[in-house]
Amino acid sequence: MFRLDGKVALVTGGNGGIGLGMARGLAQAGATVVIVGRDAEKSRGAVQVLKEQGLIADALAADVTDEAAVAALMKEVMQRHGRLDILVNNAGTNIRRPVQELSLADWNTVMDTNLTSAFLCSRSAWPHLKAAGGGKVINIGSMMSIFGAAYAPAYAASKGGIVQFTRSLATAWAADNIQANAVLPGWIDTELTQKAREQVDGLHQRVLARTPAGRWGAPGDLAGIAVFLASSASDFITGTAIPVDGGYSVLG
Ligand code: NDP
């Protein structure tokens, strides 16, 4: 029920952090994973590590905010692998400034990277998911899909948008046997949050104190949910937003 043998999974931002954690999980379940990032060198390194673990992995370089690049990416996936079953929209960024200090360019960078990329990749993936007889879209939200953040308004808006976009995909594509779900990670130790810890005073301790599990998450903590939402085990689950947060979102 959880095996993904013969399936092809595209993971945006799969060359590091949460994306690589999920890509590894999908590959361990038998999928061929194609990881996408702008930094080709970093992607090559990630593929090498996965291959050394006996997993099937490939990398393609693309900026997922660029419509033409996304179209070319999907074409290349089909040429190399012949099908697409699973799309993980994980690429993301943050610019931490309060609203009154945020430029339009900053706002657009965050919205394009976190939200528009999910639209572009999903739209380009749809004919291939449909042709495969159905498929899975997994969008990565955040605790800021639920909570506000004074220091990250564009990020919170983009991650709130991801949840509503997921619900729209779920309702639009259910008839094509495509399930779309969002994952809302808690605080996970990655490059993105290492930067946050430098920029936001006291963040590290606040997260520890606020997380019932009493620790930061690791990228591997996202592998299980990725496999579940990519596999037939979740075929009647669509349009949901599932926290993977050590209890962060339920602490009163
Ligand atoms: P990282 O900074 O470690 O990884 C971000 C990834 O996105 C990199 O692989 C990067 O690759 C890729 N990326 C960024 N911009 C683009 C682009 N324009 N085109 C293609 N790829 C791009 O971050 P995380 O692993 O922490 O975050 C992954 C996702 O999880 C994000 O959506 C983030 O918002 C979300 N998240 C993270 C949390 C955390 O605590 N870490 C909590 C909640 C959500 P490259 O630089 O090569 O392009």
Coordinates of all heavy atoms in Angstrom, one line a residue, residues 134-173:
G134 N -3.9 9.0 -13.0 CA -4.1 9.7 -11.7 C -2.8 10.0 -11.1 O -1.7 9.6 -11.6
G135 N -2.8 10.7 -10.0 CA -1.5 11.1 -9.4 C -1.7 11.8 -8.1 O -2.8 11.9 -7.6
K136 N -0.6 12.4 -7.6 CA -0.6 13.0 -6.3 C 0.1 14.3 -6.4 O 1.3 14.4 -7.0 CB 0.2 12.1 -5.3 CG -0.3 10.7 -5.2 CD -1.6 10.6 -4.4 CE -2.1 9.2 -4.2 NZ -3.2 9.1 -3.3
V137 N -0.4 15.4 -5.8 CA 0.2 16.6 -5.7 C 0.4 16.9 -4.2 O -0.6 16.8 -3.4 CB -0.5 17.8 -6.3 CG1 0.2 19.1 -6.1 CG2 -0.8 17.5 -7.8
I138 N 1.6 17.2 -3.7 CA 1.9 17.5 -2.3 C 2.5 18.9 -2.3 O 3.6 19.1 -2.8 CB 2.9 16.4 -1.7 CG1 2.3 15.0 -1.9 CG2 3.1 16.7 -0.3 CD1 3.3 13.9 -1.6
N139 N 1.7 19.8 -1.6 CA 2.2 21.2 -1.5 C 2.7 21.4 -0.1 O 2.1 21.0 0.9 CB 1.0 22.1 -1.9 CG 0.6 22.0 -3.3 OD1 1.4 21.8 -4.2 ND2 -0.7 22.2 -3.6
I140 N 3.8 22.2 0.0 CA 4.3 22.4 1.3 C 3.9 23.8 1.8 O 4.3 24.8 1.3 CB 5.9 22.3 1.3 CG1 6.3 21.0 0.7 CG2 6.4 22.4 2.7 CD1 5.6 19.7 1.3
G141 N 3.1 23.8 2.9 CA 2.7 25.0 3.6 C 3.7 25.3 4.7 O 4.9 25.1 4.6
S142 N 3.1 25.6 5.9 CA 4.0 26.0 7.0 C 3.0 26.2 8.2 O 1.8 26.3 8.1 CB 4.6 27.3 6.6 OG 5.1 28.0 7.8
M143 N 3.6 26.4 9.4 CA 2.8 26.9 10.5 C 2.2 28.2 10.2 O 1.2 28.6 10.7 CB 3.7 27.0 11.8 CG 4.1 25.6 12.4 SD 2.6 24.7 13.0 CE 2.4 23.5 11.6
M144 N 2.9 29.0 9.3 CA 2.4 30.3 8.9 C 1.3 30.2 7.9 O 0.7 31.2 7.4 CB 3.5 31.2 8.4 CG 4.4 31.5 9.6 SD 5.9 32.4 9.1 CE 6.9 31.9 10.5
S145 N 0.8 28.9 7.5 CA -0.4 28.7 6.8 C -1.6 28.9 7.9 O -2.7 29.1 7.5 CB -0.5 27.3 6.3 OG 0.5 27.1 5.4
I146 N -1.2 28.8 9.1 CA -2.2 28.9 10.2 C -2.1 30.2 11.0 O -3.0 30.9 11.3 CB -2.1 27.7 11.2 CG1 -2.0 26.4 10.5 CG2 -3.1 27.7 12.3 CD1 -1.7 25.2 11.4
F147 N -0.8 30.5 11.4 CA -0.5 31.6 12.3 C 0.0 32.8 11.5 O 0.6 32.6 10.5 CB 0.5 31.2 13.4 CG 0.1 30.0 14.2 CD1 0.8 28.8 14.1 CD2 -0.9 30.1 15.1 CE1 0.4 27.7 14.9 CE2 -1.3 29.0 15.9 CZ -0.6 27.8 15.8
G148 N -0.2 34.0 12.1 CA 0.4 35.1 11.5 C 1.9 35.2 12.0 O 2.3 34.6 12.9
A149 N 2.7 36.0 11.2 CA 4.0 36.3 11.6 C 4.4 37.7 11.3 O 4.4 38.1 10.2 CB 5.0 35.3 10.9
A150 N 4.6 38.5 12.4 CA 4.8 39.9 12.2 C 6.0 40.2 11.3 O 6.1 41.2 10.6 CB 5.1 40.6 13.6
Y151 N 7.0 39.3 11.4 CA 8.3 39.5 10.6 C 8.3 38.8 9.3 O 9.3 38.9 8.6 CB 9.5 39.0 11.5 CG 9.4 37.6 11.9 CD1 9.9 36.6 11.0 CD2 8.8 37.2 13.1 CE1 9.7 35.2 11.4 CE2 8.7 35.8 13.4 CZ 9.2 34.9 12.5 OH 9.0 33.6 12.9
A152 N 7.2 38.2 8.9 CA 7.2 37.5 7.6 C 5.9 37.5 6.9 O 5.3 36.5 6.6 CB 7.7 36.0 7.8
P153 N 5.4 38.7 6.6 CA 4.0 38.8 6.0 C 3.9 38.2 4.7 O 2.8 37.6 4.4 CB 3.8 40.3 6.0 CG 5.1 41.0 6.0 CD 6.0 40.1 6.8
A154 N 4.8 38.3 3.8 CA 4.7 37.7 2.4 C 4.7 36.2 2.5 O 4.0 35.5 1.9 CB 5.8 38.2 1.5
Y155 N 5.6 35.7 3.4 CA 5.7 34.3 3.6 C 4.4 33.7 4.1 O 3.9 32.7 3.6 CB 6.9 34.0 4.6 CG 7.2 32.5 4.8 CD1 8.1 31.9 3.9 CD2 6.6 31.8 5.8 CE1 8.4 30.5 4.1 CE2 6.9 30.5 6.0 CZ 7.8 29.8 5.1 OH 8.1 28.5 5.3
A156 N 3.8 34.4 5.1 CA 2.6 33.9 5.7 C 1.5 33.9 4.6 O 0.7 33.0 4.5 CB 2.2 34.7 6.9
A157 N 1.4 35.0 3.8 CA 0.4 35.1 2.8 C 0.6 34.0 1.8 O -0.4 33.4 1.3 CB 0.5 36.5 2.1
S158 N 1.8 33.7 1.4 CA 2.1 32.7 0.4 C 1.7 31.3 0.9 O 1.1 30.5 0.2 CB 3.5 32.7 -0.1 OG 4.4 32.2 1.0
K159 N 1.9 31.1 2.2 CA 1.7 29.8 2.8 C 0.2 29.6 3.1 O -0.3 28.5 3.1 CB 2.5 29.5 4.0 CG 4.0 29.5 3.7 CD 4.4 28.3 2.8 CE 5.8 28.1 2.6 NZ 6.1 27.0 1.7
G160 N -0.5 30.7 3.4 CA -2.0 30.6 3.5 C -2.5 30.3 2.1 O -3.4 29.5 2.0
G161 N -2.0 30.9 1.1 CA -2.4 30.7 -0.3 C -2.2 29.3 -0.7 O -3.1 28.7 -1.4
I162 N -1.2 28.7 -0.3 CA -0.9 27.3 -0.6 C -2.0 26.3 -0.2 O -2.4 25.4 -0.9 CB 0.5 26.8 0.0 CG1 1.6 27.2 -0.9 CG2 0.5 25.3 0.3 CD1 1.8 26.3 -2.2
V163 N -2.6 26.6 1.0 CA -3.6 25.7 1.5 C -4.9 25.9 0.6 O -5.5 24.9 0.2 CB -3.9 26.1 3.0 CG1 -5.2 25.4 3.5 CG2 -2.7 25.7 3.9
Q164 N -5.2 27.1 0.3 CA -6.4 27.4 -0.5 C -6.2 26.9 -1.9 O -7.1 26.3 -2.6 CB -6.8 28.8 -0.5 CG -7.4 29.3 0.8 CD -8.7 28.5 1.1 OE1 -8.6 27.5 1.8 NE2 -9.8 28.9 0.6
F165 N -5.0 27.0 -2.4 CA -4.7 26.5 -3.8 C -4.8 25.0 -3.8 O -5.4 24.4 -4.7 CB -3.3 26.9 -4.2 CG -2.9 26.4 -5.5 CD1 -3.6 26.8 -6.7 CD2 -1.7 25.6 -5.7 CE1 -3.2 26.3 -7.9 CE2 -1.4 25.1 -6.9 CZ -2.1 25.4 -8.0
T166 N -4.4 24.3 -2.7 CA -4.4 22.9 -2.6 C -5.9 22.4 -2.6 O -6.3 21.4 -3.3 CB -3.8 22.4 -1.3 OG1 -2.4 22.9 -1.3 CG2 -3.8 20.9 -1.1
R167 N -6.7 23.1 -1.9 CA -8.2 22.8 -1.8 C -8.8 22.9 -3.2 O -9.6 22.1 -3.6 CB -8.9 23.7 -0.8 CG -8.5 23.3 0.6 CD -9.2 24.3 1.6 NE -8.8 23.9 3.0 CZ -8.6 24.7 4.0 NH1 -8.8 26.0 3.8 NH2 -8.3 24.2 5.2
S168 N -8.3 23.9 -3.9 CA -8.9 24.2 -5.3 C -8.4 23.1 -6.2 O -9.2 22.5 -7.0 CB -8.4 25.5 -5.8 OG -8.9 26.5 -5.0
L169 N -7.2 22.7 -6.2 CA -6.7 21.6 -7.0 C -7.4 20.3 -6.7 O -7.8 19.5 -7.6 CB -5.2 21.3 -6.7 CG -4.1 22.3 -7.2 CD1 -2.7 21.7 -6.8 CD2 -4.2 22.5 -8.7
A170 N -7.6 20.1 -5.4 CA -8.3 18.8 -4.9 C -9.7 18.7 -5.5 O -10.1 17.6 -6.0 CB -8.4 18.8 -3.4
T171 N -10.4 19.8 -5.5 CA -11.8 19.8 -6.0 C -11.8 19.7 -7.6 O -12.6 19.0 -8.2 CB -12.6 21.0 -5.5 OG1 -11.9 22.2 -5.8 CG2 -12.9 20.9 -4.0
A172 N -10.8 20.4 -8.2 CA -10.8 20.5 -9.6 C -10.4 19.1 -10.3 O -10.9 18.7 -11.3 CB -9.9 21.6 -10.1
W173 N -9.5 18.4 -9.6 CA -8.9 17.3 -10.2 C -9.3 15.9 -9.6 O -8.7 14.9 -10.0 CB -7.3 17.4 -10.2 CG -6.8 18.6 -11.0 CD1 -7.5 19.3 -11.9 CD2 -5.5 19.1 -11.1 NE1 -6.7 20.3 -12.5 CE2 -5.5 20.2 -12.0 CE3 -4.3 18.8 -10.4 CZ2 -4.3 20.9 -12.3 CZ3 -3.1 19.5 -10.7 CH2 -3.2 20.5 -11.6

